[in-house]
Each structure stands twice: as structure tokens, then as C-alpha cells.
Amino acid sequence: PARPPGPSELVRASSSPRPTSEPGVRVRFLYASPLFSGGNVPALDTRADLEGLRAASGICAEVRVATVERLRGALLARPSPGILHISAHCLRSGGNLCLALEDSFGAPHILPATDLATQGPWDGVELLVFLSCHSEAFARELVRSCGLRRVICCSFVVLDQAAQVFCGAFYQALGAGRALLSCHEIARAAVRSSADERISMEADKFVLLGEPAPPQNGQPSALWSPALTSVALEPWPSWPRWPSVEDFVGRQDFAVAAARAFEHRRVLCLAGARGIGKTAFCHGFCHHFSAPGGRRFSAGAFLVDYVSTVRGAAGEHPDAFALAILNE
């Protein structure tokens, strides 16, 4: 049999092409799906959200995990952010509406609406796309107090599937050069025409603020369309290859503690009785922290199962990449 490829060969074969520059609509996509204690807040399906951007020609996305520092950096960036897309949970805490971002270790960083408004100059954002449940309350505060010009937001609780349908149709229309008002109408029509009745009933929850702009000198304002800019294309984010662990409950605090430990350690060893969930924890930990955009192991995480590598699994040849690592 042929020699299994070495790690360096696999890296060369799987590397994405070098980014090139081309004109397009630039979108800065910030997402947060922190590890809540007890797992009482479901994880966001960010990968499905991003598929709408990937399918839209003419859209150039920059994907980052939404920490307070990265949000502030996006608002202060020059040139200005243009289109900023925030994907995160809106929660009520102590009677106040808050945004759940992440800290550098994957734990929740709860940000009240008043604190969100002070993170940077929102008047430099041409369009904020904020499709979280109840995000309209955040949006109106940013428009009122920070001079934010245009926002697409949600008025109530909205189904994730409806938001994904809206997002895909919206960015497809935006990349095709349609005006913002037309893109919003096209995206709502896509939700309304869904074959799933639950999704079709969500269309009116997607709200556009700030467009069309108020008339000036008695004349109607021109409809806004994003300007094309020449940007360096980033390789499209690669996601963890293994699936998430089902019913991964009760390990969130331990996962955050392990991430903190990696701040000062290169190796961690988990010990415990057979069947206690060590392997499931490693799968869940690596699935979360190898997601793209700046998490602890966004550069990549690999599973090397020594027993399966040496003995094979169910009579099949063991995984070539794991074998190549051991051979090296």
C-alpha cells in the first residue's frame, strides 16, 4: 500500500489559496455563542448563519468572535466598518436587556444596552445587521443616542431558521447591487414564501430602521446602497470536522476553566474513571474552541486516538492523518 501522507503534505494539500483582492461589499461579521453555566442558553448555529453570506456573490466577509475588544476594534477601525453584522443572544438580566458576548476564555460577557452604546463611534457604521431576538430595543437606543444611521433588527423572538432564510436572501440581493430598502423587502418576501408555515409567519418581525431617510429641503432622500470596495479576501472559515456532542450539559464551567489553564500550560491531562465522559468532554471542548474567528484553537485542533491508530477500527485502515503524526 502507498505510504500515508505526512503532516506537511496534508497541510500543503489542504491549505486555502492565498487571498486575493477584488471589489465587493465588505461585511464584518462578529458572532458570540459563549459557554453558559448549566447550558441553559442554546448555542447559536453560526455556521448556518454564515452560509447565507458564502452563497452570495459580491460579499466579502471578515469573521471574528464577538468580544468587547473586537467590537470596539471594529467600531474604531479605519476605514469605517461599513456593514457590521452581530450574531449574539439578547437576554434579560436584572430587568435590563443585555447582549451576550464572549470573553477570551469562552465565558459569557454580558453587556447592557447602555454599555454597548459606549464601545465606539457607531455613527461610522453604514449599516448594522442585528438579527437577534428583541434586538430592536438595542437598535433604537443606538440610533437615538449614538447617531447610528441604518439597522436591520428583530422586533420579537424570532426562529433561527427564519433568520437564516432572511440572511441568505438579504445578502444575495445586497451583493447583486440592490438598494437596502429593496434588499429588505426581498428578504422578507423570502421568509414569507417559505414552505414551512412557522417560518413564513416570521416575516414581519424583521424591521428596517433609518431607511428611507427623512426628506431634505422638501426632496426625498436617495435610497442607500453599499459602495463597492477593493478588499483582500480572507480564506473562508473552516469549521470543526467532528460534530458537536449532544446533550453536552454540566461541563461548561469546566471547559472555561480548562481554557484558562491553557493560558499558562501547553498540556492538560484528564484523568477519571472509565465512562465518566473524558472523551466526550475533549470532543465538545475542541469543537467549541476550534471554531474560527479568534477562539483558543481557531488555528486547528486534531484528534489522535492511539488505540484506533494502532489496531484500526472495525477492521478498517486507521485514519491516515493520525498515523502520519505517529510516524513523524
Side-chain angles (χ1 to χ4, degrees):
R3 179 184 67 84
S8 59
E9 295 173 283
L10 286 175
V11 169
R12 286 195 298 270
S14 61
S15 296
S16 301
R18 178 176 297 180
T20 58
S21 180
E22 68 176 34
V25 177
R26 183 175 186 177
V27 177
R28 294 189 176 179
F29 188 102
L30 299 181
Y31 76 94
S33 186
L35 294 168
F36 284 91
S37 180
N40 54 343
V41 178
L44 294 175
D45 192 354
T46 306
R47 185 174 186 174
D49 293 342
L50 279 170
E51 285 303 316
L53 277 78
R54 187 177 190 179
S57 60
I59 300 294
C60 305
E62 175 187 288
V63 180
R64 299 289 184 270
V65 174
T67 63
V68 170
E69 294 76 16
R70 290 198 182 95
L71 174 60
R72 187 183 306 119
L75 294 174
L76 293 172
R78 291 294 178 268
S80 61
I83 300 176
L84 178 63
H85 186 127
I86 297 178
S87 177
H89 282 294
C90 287
L91 308 171
R92 290 203 174 272
S93 177
N96 298 318
L97 196 61
C98 300
L99 185 66
L101 302 182
E102 297 186 21
D103 67 11
S104 57
F105 304 106
H109 187 154
I110 305 301
L111 200 67
T114 52
D115 291 348
L116 181 66
T118 62
Q119 293 307 309
W122 288 90
D123 56 351
V125 178
E126 296 284 349
L127 170 65
L128 173 64
V129 181
F130 194 8
L131 302 183
S132 303
C133 300
H134 299 293
S135 55
E136 185 179 0
F138 273 97
R140 291 192 179 277
E141 175 63 22
L142 292 173
V143 170
R144 183 191 66 81
S145 62
C146 304
L148 182 63
R149 286 172 277 186
R150 306 169 191 88
V151 193
I152 292 180
C153 50
C154 296
S155 55
F156 299 103
V157 175
V158 65
L159 291 175
D160 289 346
Q161 299 94 322
Q164 288 158 13
V165 171
F166 180 94
C167 188
F170 174 78
Y171 281 113
Q172 185 178 11
L174 200 67
R178 303 299 295 264
L180 173 60
L181 187 62
S182 175
C183 295
H184 178 252
E185 293 171 349
I186 289 171
R188 290 213 302 182
V191 176
R192 193 175 291 111
S193 60
S194 171
D196 188 327
E197 184 178 358
R198 297 178 307 150
I199 294 176
S200 65
M201 295 176 65
E202 302 277 283
D204 292 336
K205 295 180 180 180
F206 296 94
V207 178
L208 172 60
L209 304 179
E211 188 76 4
Q216 296 183 354
N217 301 322
Q219 299 297 321
S221 299
L223 296 179
W224 181 81
S225 296
L228 297 181
T229 57
S230 183
V231 296
L233 297 179
E234 295 188 355
W236 192 253
S238 59
W239 292 82
R241 297 182 62 182
W242 50 70
S244 59
V245 178
E246 295 183 6
D247 300 325
F248 188 66
V249 178
R251 303 290 189 182
Q252 287 77 11
D253 290 343
F254 185 54
V256 171
R260 292 182 186 276
F262 273 115
E263 188 78 4
H264 309 287
R265 298 285 188 273
R266 296 184 61 189
V267 177
L268 293 182
C269 179
L270 298 184
R274 178 178 296 180
I276 200 172
K278 300 184 298 297
T279 300
F281 173 80
C282 290
H283 280 225
F285 181 89
C286 290
H287 176 86
H288 180 84
F289 285 98
S290 63
R295 283 188 176 152
R296 174 63 60 177
F297 300 111
S298 288
F302 302 94
L303 172 66
V304 180
D305 186 334
Y306 178 77
V307 173
S308 297
T309 300
V310 173
R311 299 179 181 175
E316 300 174 358
H317 193 277
D319 181 77
F321 186 69
L323 183 59
I325 292 177
L326 292 179
N327 286 341
E328 290 290 327

Coordinates of all heavy atoms in Angstrom, one line a residue, residues 20 72 83 90 146 204 222 236 246 258 281 294 301 308:
T20 N -6.8 37.0 -2.4 CA -6.6 38.0 -3.5 C -7.5 39.2 -3.2 O -8.4 39.1 -2.4 CB -6.9 37.4 -4.9 OG1 -8.3 36.9 -4.8 CG2 -6.0 36.2 -5.2
R72 N -15.1 46.8 19.9 CA -14.5 48.1 19.9 C -13.5 48.4 18.8 O -13.5 49.5 18.2 CB -13.8 48.3 21.3 CG -13.3 49.8 21.5 CD -12.6 49.9 22.9 NE -13.4 49.4 23.9 CZ -13.1 48.4 24.7 NH1 -11.9 47.7 24.5 NH2 -13.8 48.0 25.7
I83 N -20.5 47.7 6.8 CA -21.6 46.9 7.2 C -21.1 46.0 8.4 O -20.1 45.3 8.2 CB -22.1 46.0 6.1 CG1 -22.7 46.8 5.0 CG2 -23.2 45.1 6.6 CD1 -23.1 46.1 3.8
C90 N -29.6 38.1 22.8 CA -30.1 39.2 23.6 C -30.8 38.5 24.8 O -31.7 37.7 24.6 CB -31.0 40.1 22.8 SG -30.2 41.1 21.6
C146 N -26.5 57.4 19.7 CA -25.1 57.3 19.0 C -25.1 57.7 17.6 O -24.0 57.6 16.9 CB -24.6 55.8 19.2 SG -24.6 55.2 20.8
D204 N -42.7 39.6 9.3 CA -42.9 40.9 9.7 C -42.1 41.3 11.0 O -42.1 42.4 11.4 CB -44.4 41.2 10.0 CG -45.3 41.2 8.8 OD1 -44.7 41.4 7.7 OD2 -46.5 40.9 8.9
A222 N -32.1 60.0 -1.4 CA -31.8 58.9 -2.2 C -31.7 57.6 -1.4 O -31.3 57.6 -0.2 CB -30.5 59.1 -2.9
W236 N -12.1 31.3 3.4 CA -13.4 31.1 4.1 C -13.2 30.3 5.3 O -12.4 29.3 5.3 CB -14.4 30.4 3.2 CG -15.8 30.4 3.8 CD1 -16.5 29.4 4.3 CD2 -16.6 31.6 3.9 NE1 -17.7 29.8 4.8 CE2 -17.8 31.2 4.5 CE3 -16.5 32.9 3.5 CZ2 -18.9 32.0 4.8 CZ3 -17.6 33.8 3.7 CH2 -18.7 33.3 4.4
E246 N -23.9 15.8 21.6 CA -25.3 16.0 22.0 C -25.4 16.0 23.6 O -24.7 15.3 24.3 CB -26.2 14.9 21.4 CG -26.2 15.0 19.9 CD -27.2 13.9 19.3 OE1 -27.8 13.2 20.2 OE2 -27.2 13.8 18.1
A258 N -10.6 25.0 31.8 CA -9.6 24.4 31.0 C -9.0 25.4 30.0 O -7.8 25.4 29.8 CB -10.1 23.1 30.2
F281 N -16.0 15.1 26.7 CA -15.6 16.4 27.0 C -14.5 17.0 26.1 O -14.6 18.1 25.6 CB -15.0 16.5 28.5 CG -14.4 17.8 28.8 CD1 -15.2 18.8 29.2 CD2 -13.0 18.0 28.7 CE1 -14.7 20.1 29.5 CE2 -12.5 19.2 29.0 CZ -13.3 20.3 29.4
G294 N -10.9 33.5 16.1 CA -10.2 34.0 17.2 C -10.4 33.3 18.6 O -10.0 33.9 19.6
A301 N -7.5 22.0 15.6 CA -7.4 21.0 16.6 C -7.6 19.6 16.0 O -8.4 19.5 15.1 CB -8.5 21.2 17.7
S308 N -7.2 3.4 18.3 CA -7.7 3.2 16.9 C -6.6 3.2 15.9 O -6.7 2.6 14.8 CB -8.7 4.3 16.6 OG -9.8 4.2 17.5

